[in-house]
Amino acid sequence: MAHLELGKDDIDKLRKTGIANTAFLFKLWQEDHNGNDNLFQVICLLMRAHGLMQVIKPICATDAQFMIPCMLSQEEMIIPAGYTFYFKFKGFLPQEVFHCLMCLVIKKCQEILGCSPPKFSSNACVWYNFKGYNWYIQPLSQKHRLKVVVR
């Protein structure tokens, strides 16, 4: 199979927003699936099953959008004051825990009517009007904690 060229706009979008569409991922992973659509679907299912990416409002199978948290930009997000609690982890808090949590947030927000799409950066996850409240989650890796703020 001929090598398919990746578009600069798609690469920039992935690096800035952490979002990629099906066609882009098919091109990106072409060496892993050799053009086999079934194998490509298995790769996508494995990525989703392990919290490495999440479908964002699929319109149809060919143009679904995926959030890939490890590709989010390094922009800092400011977390406002509110009811704050922490989840403390013994030893360490891998960044991947936060990535899986972001995928779960996307899934839940899409299931609940009236919930706005979440916003993300590499240091925070924010979603609005989830059961009437605004929620903010921030990993504090040096302190081995997840900070949750509810307003």
Side-chain angles (χ1 to χ4, degrees), residues 21-74:
N21 65 27
T22 304
F24 174 77
L25 292 177
F26 192 85
K27 286 186 251 179
L28 182 67
W29 296 333
Q30 67 184 352
E31 291 178 7
D32 298 318
H33 61 72
N34 294 321
N36 182 325
D37 190 53
N38 289 333
L39 187 53
F40 173 72
Q41 295 300 327
V42 169
I43 293 170
C44 289
L45 284 171
L46 286 171
M47 293 283 288
R48 289 171 44 205
H50 293 284
L52 301 174
M53 74 179 195
Q54 179 60 43
V55 175
I56 301 174
K57 295 184 183 176
I59 299 166
C60 68
T62 58
D63 66 353
Q65 298 281 312
F66 295 92
M67 164 62 79
I68 304 172
C70 67
M71 295 302 296
L72 285 166
S73 69
Q74 298 297 315

Side-chain angles (χ1 to χ4, degrees), residues 94-109:
Q95 186 69 21
E96 291 75 18
V97 170
F98 183 58
H99 295 166
C100 292
L101 186 58
M102 284 194 280
C103 288
L104 288 172
V105 167
I106 292 169
K107 186 176 179 183
K108 277 294 172 199
C109 285

Side-chain angles (χ1 to χ4, degrees), residues 74-91:
Q74 298 297 315
E75 295 175 20
E76 293 290 315
M77 203 180 276
I78 297 171
I79 306 296
Y83 297 105
T84 305
F85 55 97
Y86 298 89
F87 292 98
K88 186 171 182 176
F89 294 80
K90 282 199 174 243

